[in-house]
Amino acid sequence: MRKITLTTLIILVVMSVFVTGVMAQEQGGTLVFGRGGDTVGLDPIQVTDGESFKVTQQIYDTLVDYTPGTTEVEPALATDWEVSEDGLTWTFNLREGVEFHDGNPFNAEAVKWNFDRWRLEDHPYHIGGEFTYYGYMFQGFPGIIQEVNVVDDLTVEFVLSEKQAPFLNNLAMVPFGIASPEAVKEHGEDYFKNPVGTGAYTLEEWRQGDRVILKANENYWRERAYLDEIVFRSIPDNSARFMELQSGTIDMMDGVSPEDVEAVESADELKLSLRPSMNVGYFAMNFNFEPFDDVRVRRAFNHAIDKQAIIDAFYAGLAEPAKNPMPPSIWGYNDDIEPYEYNPEKAKELLAEAGYEDGFEFDLWYLPVPRPYIPQGKFIGQAIQSYLSEIGVTANLVTYDWSTYLDKTEHQEAPTYMLGWTGDNGDPDNFLYVLLDKTNSNNAYESEELHEVLVEAQKTMDQETRVELYMEAQEIIHKDAPWVPLVHSTPPIALKSNVENYVPNPTGTEKLHRVWLAE
C-alpha cells in the first residue's frame, strides 16, 4: 500500500513553492481537465458535489481561503478579522478595489446581501431547502448567524447566537463564494447557469453534459492567472479518460483506475500526484426501510463486506479500510474503536437473530460516476452484492444519472446507497455533524444522543474538550451502525509532465490560477 506522510506532504508543498519562485512561469495556453461527471450547477450555494465545486472555485472567492495543500486559513476577500471575547461577534476587514466580473464593486453590502440570501427564508432570492451547505454548516435558517451588519463600506460584522468553534474554517469552504448581487437579481432562477464572482476565471461557456470553458479574468484582484483558459471536460469512463490523457487531448485527470497507476508512473510524458487523504467512502442503510431499522441487520452488513479485498481490487493499494465515518487524518479520530471484522458467519447469526435467517431482497444504489472515494461505483457495487449473497441476502443494483442520484438520496428515497465525502475544512464537525446529525442525515438516522454531543462540540472552543466529544460521537455511531464505512482513499491525479505548480488540496478542490504549462 502506498502511503503519503505529513512530512512528505510538507516537503512537496515547500518544493512546489520553491519551484514557483525560481522557474519562469509560462503565461497563456489552455489546460484541459478530464473529470468523471458534469457540473450540476454553477451557483456554489446550491450544490454539494465535487464536480461543481471544481469549477465554481475558479469563478468565486470566499472571505477567507485555505493555504494551498492544507486546511490552514489565510486571508482572501477579507484581509484580516477579529473575534470578540465571548466568541459571538466576528468583524472582517475587506479588501479594497475588488470588482465582480460584471464590474460591480465588492464591498460589505455585497457580503451582507449574500449571507442574507443564504440564511433568511423570506429573502427574495433565498436558496434554502434542507440540502444546502448553509443549513448544514450553520444549523438551519437563519441558523446561528443572527445578524450580518455593514459597519462601513469595507467592514462587515457577524453576530452569532452561540459560539461555533469551526466558524472561520467554515467560511473558507467553496460553497460560500461571494456572488454579484446584481447578477443574481438579473438572472433569477437561471443564475446557476450564469455565475458572476470575483475569481480568477469567468465563465465563457457551459455545454451541459460535455464541458465547461473558463477564461482568465483580466481584472483579477490578485495577479492574473497564468493560464488563458481552463476547459473541464466530462468523460465518465475512467479508461476512456486515461486514453485521452495518453493521446494528449486532455492535460490532467482525476479518477485514475487502479490498473492505470503503474502506467502513469512509468510514462515519461506523464506524472502522478497524490491527493492527501481526507475522505470516506461508505454504504448507507435507510432507517425508513425495513429491515434496516433493525441494528442487528445493519451490524450484519458491516460484518459481511470484505473491505480490504475491495481495496486490493479497486484502489491499487491507495486506500485503507474505514472503521469510522471520518478519516484518521482528522484530529479527534477515535482509533480505540474496534472495527467490525469481516465475518460472514457472524453476519448470518445476526440476521437470524433479527428474524431473517432466510435472507431478504432489497435495492442497492451504486454511484453512476467515479468519485475519489469510490472510483468504480458499479464494480464496487457488484462486489458488495456478491458479499451479501454469501449471507443469503439478494441485492438488486440500481443507479441514476448523477444529479438525479444526488437528489433522490438527499430526499431519502434510497433503501441503501453508496456515497462518500471529502472534507471541506479539516474539522471533525464537517464529517460527523454534516453527514450524521439528525438534522442532516440522508438515511433517516436520528440519534438524539449523538445530536447533543455534536452540538456541544460546536459550541466548545477548547480543543481538548472537543476531541473528547468527537471520540464519544464516534462510539455512538459505531454502536448504531447507520453505515458500512468502506474506505479512506488517497486519490491519484494524473497529469502531463508539462503541467507545473499543481498542488492537490486534501479538500478535493483547489484554485488553478497558479498552474501553468511549460514549453
Side-chain angles (χ1 to χ4, degrees), residues 120-193:
L120 300 178
E121 293 180 294
D122 60 354
H123 191 280
Y125 297 95
H126 176 66
I127 296 296
E130 52 195 316
F131 307 118
T132 69
Y133 260 99
Y134 183 89
Y136 287 150
M137 304 313 301
F138 299 114
Q139 300 181 26
F141 307 95
I144 64 168
I145 301 179
Q146 292 300 291
E147 298 177 28
V148 183
N149 300 317
V150 174
V151 178
D152 57 43
D153 198 45
L154 293 175
T155 310
V156 65
E157 176 188 82
F158 294 80
V159 180
L160 310 185
S161 59
E162 58 190 50
K163 291 183 288 188
Q164 187 186 56
F167 181 71
L168 193 63
N169 283 66
N170 289 346
L171 293 185
M173 289 166 48
V174 184
F176 305 121
I178 305 298
S180 165
E182 297 307 313
V184 177
K185 295 173 188 176
E186 177 184 351
H187 294 288
E189 292 183 358
D190 285 334
Y191 179 71
F192 78 98
K193 296 185 290 188

Side-chain angles (χ1 to χ4, degrees), residues 274-349:
L274 297 179
R275 186 179 302 287
S277 181
M278 196 172 74
N279 62 35
V280 62
Y282 61 87
F283 170 74
M285 295 156 281
N286 192 326
F287 286 50
N288 285 336
F289 289 77
E290 294 182 353
F292 303 112
D293 55 343
D294 191 319
V295 69
R296 293 168 295 187
V297 173
R298 301 193 302 274
R299 290 174 181 168
F301 274 32
N302 270 274
H303 283 297
I305 298 170
D306 189 342
K307 301 172 188 178
Q308 188 60 56
I310 288 174
I311 289 169
D312 293 341
F314 302 111
Y315 290 83
L318 294 172
E320 60 180 303
K323 63 179 180 180
N324 293 323
M326 56 183 267
S329 58
I330 297 288
W331 58 267
Y333 180 80
N334 191 338
D335 200 29
D336 292 334
I337 287 175
E338 288 294 324
Y340 289 100
E341 63 175 343
Y342 172 57
N343 188 335
E345 294 306 314
K346 177 65 174 177
K348 291 177 184 178
E349 291 174 10

Side-chain angles (χ1 to χ4, degrees), residues 82-279:
E82 60 182 28
V83 60
S84 60
E85 287 188 12
D86 62 8
L88 297 179
T89 302
W90 291 76
T91 304
F92 292 83
N93 296 312
L94 306 180
R95 198 170 297 277
E96 188 174 3
V98 177
E99 289 186 351
F100 291 104
H101 300 155
D102 58 7
N104 284 298
F106 164 79
N107 52 29
E109 287 286 356
V111 174
K112 174 177 170 57
W113 193 93
N114 274 267
F115 275 87
D116 285 353
R117 176 195 178 216
W118 304 335
R119 70 189 187 88
L120 300 178
E121 293 180 294
D122 60 354
H123 191 280
Y125 297 95
H126 176 66
I127 296 296
E130 52 195 316
F131 307 118
T132 69
Y133 260 99
Y134 183 89
Y136 287 150
M137 304 313 301
F138 299 114
Q139 300 181 26
F141 307 95
I144 64 168
I145 301 179
Q146 292 300 291
E147 298 177 28
V148 183
N149 300 317
V150 174
V151 178
D152 57 43
D153 198 45
L154 293 175
T155 310
V156 65
E157 176 188 82
F158 294 80
V159 180
L160 310 185
S161 59
E162 58 190 50
K163 291 183 288 188
Q164 187 186 56
F167 181 71
L168 193 63
N169 283 66
N170 289 346
L171 293 185
M173 289 166 48
V174 184
F176 305 121
I178 305 298
S180 165
E182 297 307 313
V184 177
K185 295 173 188 176
E186 177 184 351
H187 294 288
E189 292 183 358
D190 285 334
Y191 179 71
F192 78 98
K193 296 185 290 188
N194 299 277
V196 178
T198 62
Y201 291 90
T202 64
L203 176 66
E204 179 75 8
E205 184 180 6
W206 179 14
R207 302 177 201 166
Q208 289 180 290
D210 179 23
R211 67 190 63 199
V212 178
I213 304 172
L214 305 180
K215 295 285 189 182
N217 174 12
E218 298 295 340
N219 297 313
Y220 191 38
W221 55 271
R222 288 183 171 117
E223 184 182 355
R224 180 197 182 275
Y226 298 142
L227 296 163
D228 291 336
E229 185 177 77
I230 301 176
V231 178
F232 291 93
R233 282 189 53 200
S234 303
I235 309 171
D237 183 75
N238 289 358
S239 297
R241 197 159 62 256
F242 184 57
M243 288 177 63
E244 293 219 28
L245 181 69
Q246 289 176 306
S247 67
T249 54
I250 64 175
D251 299 296
M252 62 184 296
M253 62 171 282
D254 56 10
V256 180
S257 294
E259 61 268 22
D260 294 328
V261 169
E262 186 176 346
V264 175
E265 292 178 319
S266 61
D268 291 340
E269 70 277 10
L270 300 177
K271 57 186 175 182
L272 192 72
S273 182
L274 297 179
R275 186 179 302 287
S277 181
M278 196 172 74
N279 62 35

Side-chain angles (χ1 to χ4, degrees), residues 348-362:
K348 291 177 184 178
E349 291 174 10
L350 286 166
L351 287 182
E353 288 177 19
Y356 295 98
E357 60 272 9
D358 296 325
F360 58 91
E361 188 171 346
F362 73 102

Side-chain angles (χ1 to χ4, degrees), residues 65-74 168-170 172-173 276 278 329-331 422-427 430-431 504-509:
D65 206 347
Y66 300 122
T67 302
T70 77
T71 54
E72 296 296 321
V73 173
E74 66 178 18
L168 193 63
N169 283 66
N170 289 346
M173 289 166 48
M278 196 172 74
S329 58
I330 297 288
W331 58 267
T422 299
D424 296 292
N425 63 14
D427 195 287
N430 186 243
F431 281 87
N505 194 283
T507 64
T509 56

Side-chain angles (χ1 to χ4, degrees), residues 401-422:
D401 68 87
W402 183 221
S403 61
T404 303
Y405 188 93
L406 289 174
D407 182 68
K408 285 180 173 291
T409 53
E410 285 173 347
H411 286 90
Q412 301 184 358
E413 296 180 29
T416 71
Y417 57 92
M418 294 161 53
L419 258 180
W421 188 258
T422 299

